[in-house]
């Protein structure tokens, strides 16, 4: 456990925001701890959880010096929490994982090798889990290939799950997430791709994404409103450009396999 940055063994800073995750955060940590690549730091910011999440994090911290935990003074949302972790990151790479998701043991190692010296933004396919961590037998982005541009992602040609993303930190001038309560990850990927970089996909499902009953991904109306807000208010797209992109998004949301 070197926890140092070297060209052949770069440090990966893993970014997590958490809120009331007492039932899942330990599984997330175990998935990180079991990675085949072990030169990482896990930076977790708790958003004033009202359950025992903070106690679980303290127990994890006591036994693993690669873990760093922070706490917001007020409940502020995932964007603020992730940004606090990003500010503290020392790694050459940033990887993101939500507090209810899990990684396969080879995830970081495979992604690092895939990125090599010339890819600055990558993501993986993922498989869906139920609230109890059992597989639902469905994968997302596993039929994708190649890379995706800003225009591609405006039209949501890939789902690009937050917990699958890894980026080379010094390749982007600003990695801070827009201060949105929801959809800040998608808005961030657009901001990064607006620089002209491309997001390259690994179509192998290396991440498990947990579907929770109260997740925004289960509320299609809220998700659609969020998408429109990002087009108009965050990206500043003209009405007809927003409408064009939204129709692509809606078609894929309905017919995506």
């Amino acid at each position: 456990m070197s926890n140092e940055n070297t060209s052949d063994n770069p440090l990966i800073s893993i970014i997590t925001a958490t809120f009331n995750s007492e039932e899942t955060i330990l599984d997330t940590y175990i998935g990180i701890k079991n990675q085949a690549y072990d030169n990482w730091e896990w930076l977790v910011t708790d958003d004033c959880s009202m359950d025992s999440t903070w106690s679980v994090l303290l127990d994890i911290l006591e036994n693993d010096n690669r873990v760093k935990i922070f706490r917001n003074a007020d409940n502020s949302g995932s964007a603020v929490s992730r940004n606090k972790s990003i500010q503290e990151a020392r790694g050459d790479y940033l990887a993101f994982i939500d507090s209810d998701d899990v990684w396969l043991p080879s995830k970081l190692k495979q992604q690092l090798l895939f990125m090599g010296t010339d890819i600055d933004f990558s993501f993986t396919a993922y498989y869906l889990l139920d609230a109890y961590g059992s597989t639902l037998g469905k994968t997302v982005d596993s039929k994708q290939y190649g890379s995706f541009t800003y225009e591609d992602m405006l039209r949501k040609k890939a789902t690009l799950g937050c917990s699958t993303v890894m980026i080379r930190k010094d390749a982007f001038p600003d990695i801070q997430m827009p201060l949105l309560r929801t959809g800040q990850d998608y808005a961030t990927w657009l901001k990064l791709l607006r620089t002209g970089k491309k997001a390259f996909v690994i179509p192998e499902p290396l991440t498990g994404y947990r579907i929770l009953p109260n997740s925004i991904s289960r509320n299609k109306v809220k998700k659609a409103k969020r998408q429109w807000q990002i087009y108009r208010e965050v990206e500043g797209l003209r009405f007809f450009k927003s409408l064009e992109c939204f129709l692509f998004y809606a078609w894929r949301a309905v017919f995506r396999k």
Side-chain angles (χ1 to χ4, degrees):
M1 298 184 191
S2 63
N3 215 219
E4 294 176 356
N5 300 53
T6 62
S7 58
D8 58 347
N9 191 41
L11 178 65
I12 301 174
S13 296
I14 302 165
I15 306 300
T16 298
T18 186
F19 175 71
N20 288 353
S21 304
E22 63 179 6
E23 296 181 357
T24 59
I25 191 72
L26 184 58
D27 285 344
T28 300
Y29 166 69
I30 291 171
I32 296 171
K33 182 182 178 183
N34 290 339
Q35 288 298 298
Y37 187 86
D38 66 2
N39 192 26
W40 50 259
E41 58 175 3
W42 187 33
L43 303 106
V44 190
T45 298
D46 180 67
D47 197 21
C48 301
S49 291
M50 295 176 288
D51 62 4
S52 63
T53 297
W54 187 249
S55 296
V56 174
L57 289 172
L58 287 172
D59 288 342
I60 293 171
L61 176 67
E62 188 174 346
N63 294 290
D64 195 333
N65 62 12
R66 297 171 294 179
V67 178
K68 300 176 182 178
I69 61 176
F70 312 93
R71 206 174 198 178
N72 293 336
D74 303 293
N75 181 267
S76 306
S78 296
V80 170
S81 301
R82 290 187 182 124
N83 284 344
K84 182 174 288 188
S85 289
I86 290 170
Q87 288 169 358
E88 299 292 335
R90 299 183 299 112
D92 298 297
Y93 294 82
L94 298 183
F96 297 83
I97 187 167
D98 289 343
S99 58
D100 50 6
D101 294 341
V102 294
W103 286 339
L104 293 186
S106 63
K107 195 263 188 187
L108 290 181
K109 186 174 183 178
Q110 281 189 240
Q111 204 160 8
L112 198 60
L113 289 171
F114 173 78
M115 293 176 72
T117 59
D118 57 351
I119 292 177
D120 296 321
F121 185 145
S122 71
F123 65 102
T124 82
Y126 59 92
Y127 55 95
L128 299 183
L129 303 171
D130 65 17
Y132 305 102
S134 299
T135 181
L136 294 173
K138 181 178 180 181
T139 62
V140 178
D141 285 342
S142 57
K143 296 180 180 179
Q144 302 285 13
Y145 61 91
S147 62
F148 297 83
T149 65
Y150 172 71
E151 289 291 331
D152 291 333
M153 287 313 303
L154 282 177
R155 293 162 176 77
K156 290 290 281 187
K157 289 188 176 181
T159 302
L160 216 168
C162 183
S163 294
T164 77
V165 169
M166 185 187 292
I167 60 177
R168 196 183 312 268
K169 191 167 67 172
D170 65 6
F172 300 96
D174 178 17
I175 305 173
Q176 292 287 292
M177 291 195 165
L179 298 182
L180 304 172
R181 275 287 181 167
T182 62
Q184 68 282 148
D185 49 345
Y186 173 60
T188 303
W189 314 145
L190 289 177
K191 180 172 76 168
L192 300 183
L193 295 175
R194 211 186 305 128
T195 67
K197 300 286 187 181
K198 295 179 180 180
F200 289 77
V201 64
I202 300 174
E204 183 178 350
L206 300 175
T207 301
Y209 178 84
R210 198 183 305 254
I211 300 292
L212 299 177
N214 60 350
S215 169
I216 190 169
S217 63
R218 306 291 286 178
N219 190 317
K220 302 302 183 183
V221 174
K222 284 185 178 180
K223 197 172 181 181
K225 287 181 176 178
R226 177 194 74 187
Q227 192 78 11
W228 184 257
Q229 177 193 16
I230 290 173
Y231 288 149
R232 296 288 284 154
E233 299 176 17
V234 180
E235 293 305 302
L237 301 183
R238 293 175 181 268
F239 176 81
F240 286 108
K241 174 76 168 181
S242 298
L243 183 59
E244 174 198 344
C245 293
F246 186 83
L247 290 175
F248 274 101
Y249 154 78
W251 186 87
R252 288 189 169 88
V254 172
F255 293 107
R256 183 181 64 217
K257 299 283 185 176

